[in-house]
Every structure is written in structure tokens, then in C-alpha cells.
Amino acid sequence: IVLTQSPGTLSLSPGERASLSCRASQSVSNNYLAWYQQRPGQAPRLLIFGASARASGIPARFSGSGSGTDFTLTISRLEPEDFAVFYCQQYGSSPPTFGGGTKVEI
Amino acid sequence: EEQLLESEGGLVQPGGSLRLSCSASVFTFKNYAMGWVRQAPGKGLEWVSAISYGGGTTYYADSVKGRFTISRDNSNNTLSLHMNSLRVEDTAVYFCVRLTWGWLFDYWGRGALVTVSS
């Protein structure tokens, strides 16, 4: 399954709302769609799984939505530490695949 | 918090071999499938390989099949990736990952840089 993320780069200010899109080439089984955040020089960390469930310790300003082939990650009010690259991943079928990433920059 | 710590990567010539290892702590290693994900410099994420919790089943991306071998030692909480016939395009940071819900990567190591160059 090919995942296409848009936009490639999102330029926003702290306090603004961010909406990131992930579109799949075919329906994601069981809506097994995850989102990861990767800050510069760090490993990715799991934010959202099952399209909308927040992982342990993830702030409530992060939310996921969508089903089938269209998914969205929303950050309600950007904090300075949120500026990073975000990847979606489908884990409903093998092989697992990632989107190309969306960079959220100031 | 669950911890995964990869061994140092290194510089290897094309056609050469390298072994990465990953040490797990805090969680019960033998209860989880484990795997590797890589990231070429300035690029996105690519799943490489995975192994079942008991070690009896292994999985590989087409790009590394026949060249890489994944293994685990549950008595020592260690995951390994043996990489043979390395190519320039294998240059990447390799992350050790814990798997849950099938192919969901819920914990990541800090990564090990493998550089393939003459």
C-alpha cells in the first residue's frame, strides 16, 4: 500500500492549528493507520494508532481521524516542541509502509 | 520506560558485511516481535525486517531479502541483524523497533548509522 502525505512542508506559528493528510492507494485494513513524530536527530515516536487512539503520554492536542483511504493528523495548538517531521504508516497488511513525511516548520 | 539500545554502526565497503545488535531492557523481550526500520540520510522511513517473538518466523523487505538475516536471543534480550553483500544504497540509520498489533512499531531505539562506501 502506497501512502501519500500532504503537504510536504507546512509553515505555521506557535499556537496555530496544523492539519496533515495521509492518503492510501487502497483501503487500510481495520484502519490500522499510525502517526509518528520525528524531531531532528531523534528516533521517531509513536503518536497515534488505530487512526485515532493516542499512544501513552501523548498530549491531547494531537488527534487523528479518518478511515479507509483518507486520514488526518491534527495538532490543535502548536507548541514549540511540535515542530518536526510527521510520518503516517499503515500496519494492516504486509509489508508495512510509511508515507514520505510532512515537515511542520516555524 | 521501555528501552532499546543499538550497537554502534560503522563504515563498510560495498560488498562487505556488518552485524548490528540491539539490547532490550525494562520490558519482557521474549513476549514481543521485534524488527528493524532504516532511514537513509535526509530521507523517509523504510521497514527492513522483523522476527516473531519466539524467533521461528522472519520477514524481510524485498530490498534486503537474501542479503540480511535477522535473529534473536531471548535468553539475553538481544536482537541482531546480519547484513551481507552491502550496497551503497544500504547506507542509513538503522532503528531497532518493538512490534505490537502486527506491524505497529511502538518503541524505537536511538539508531545506528551504517555507511557503505569505498
Side-chain angles (χ1 to χ4, degrees), chain A residues 6-21 61-62 73-84 86 102-106:
Chain A
S6 62
T9 303
L10 201 52
S11 298
L12 295 168
S13 299
E16 289 192 299
R17 181 186 185 90
S19 289
L20 287 65
S21 173
R61 64 181 181 273
F62 292 93
L73 174 69
T74 301
I75 310 171
S76 58
R77 287 177 56 87
L78 284 163
E79 297 287 342
E81 62 268 27
D82 298 338
F83 291 90
F86 295 83
T102 291
K103 181 179 181 181
V104 178
E105 65 176 22
I106 298 176

Side-chain angles (χ1 to χ4, degrees), chain B residues 12 38-41 86-94 113-117:
Chain B
V12 61
R38 69 183 180 183
Q39 185 172 37
L86 282 162
R87 305 167 180 168
V88 171
E89 55 265 34
D90 293 320
T91 295
V93 174
Y94 286 73
L113 177 60
V114 174
T115 303
V116 184
S117 173

Side-chain angles (χ1 to χ4, degrees), chain B residues 36-53:
Chain B
W36 296 91
V37 172
R38 69 183 180 183
Q39 185 172 37
K43 302 297 184 182
L45 301 168
E46 179 190 18
W47 168 73
V48 173
S49 181
I51 187 167
S52 61
Y53 64 91

Side-chain angles (χ1 to χ4, degrees), chain A residues 34-106:
Chain A
W35 291 92
Y36 300 85
Q37 177 191 48
Q38 186 177 32
R39 296 175 177 137
Q42 296 187 16
R45 71 162 176 163
L46 178 64
L47 296 176
I48 300 288
F49 63 96
S52 60
R54 276 189 303 277
S56 176
I58 302 304
R61 64 181 181 273
F62 292 93
S63 63
S65 62
S67 64
T69 60
D70 289 305
F71 300 88
T72 300
L73 174 69
T74 301
I75 310 171
S76 58
R77 287 177 56 87
L78 284 163
E79 297 287 342
E81 62 268 27
D82 298 338
F83 291 90
V85 179
F86 295 83
Y87 295 95
C88 60
Q89 179 227 342
Q90 68 81 21
Y91 58 101
S93 59
S94 178
T97 50
F98 293 90
T102 291
K103 181 179 181 181
V104 178
E105 65 176 22
I106 298 176

Side-chain angles (χ1 to χ4, degrees), chain B residues 44-90:
Chain B
L45 301 168
E46 179 190 18
W47 168 73
V48 173
S49 181
I51 187 167
S52 61
Y53 64 91
T57 305
T58 57
Y59 308 85
Y60 299 95
D62 287 344
S63 57
V64 306
K65 198 173 294 182
R67 300 187 298 121
F68 289 13
T69 301
I70 190 172
S71 62
R72 66 189 297 161
D73 180 349
N74 284 345
S75 62
N76 289 307
N77 296 343
T78 301
L79 176 73
S80 295
L81 185 67
H82 297 257
M83 301 180 289
N84 296 322
S85 302
L86 282 162
R87 305 167 180 168
V88 171
E89 55 265 34
D90 293 320

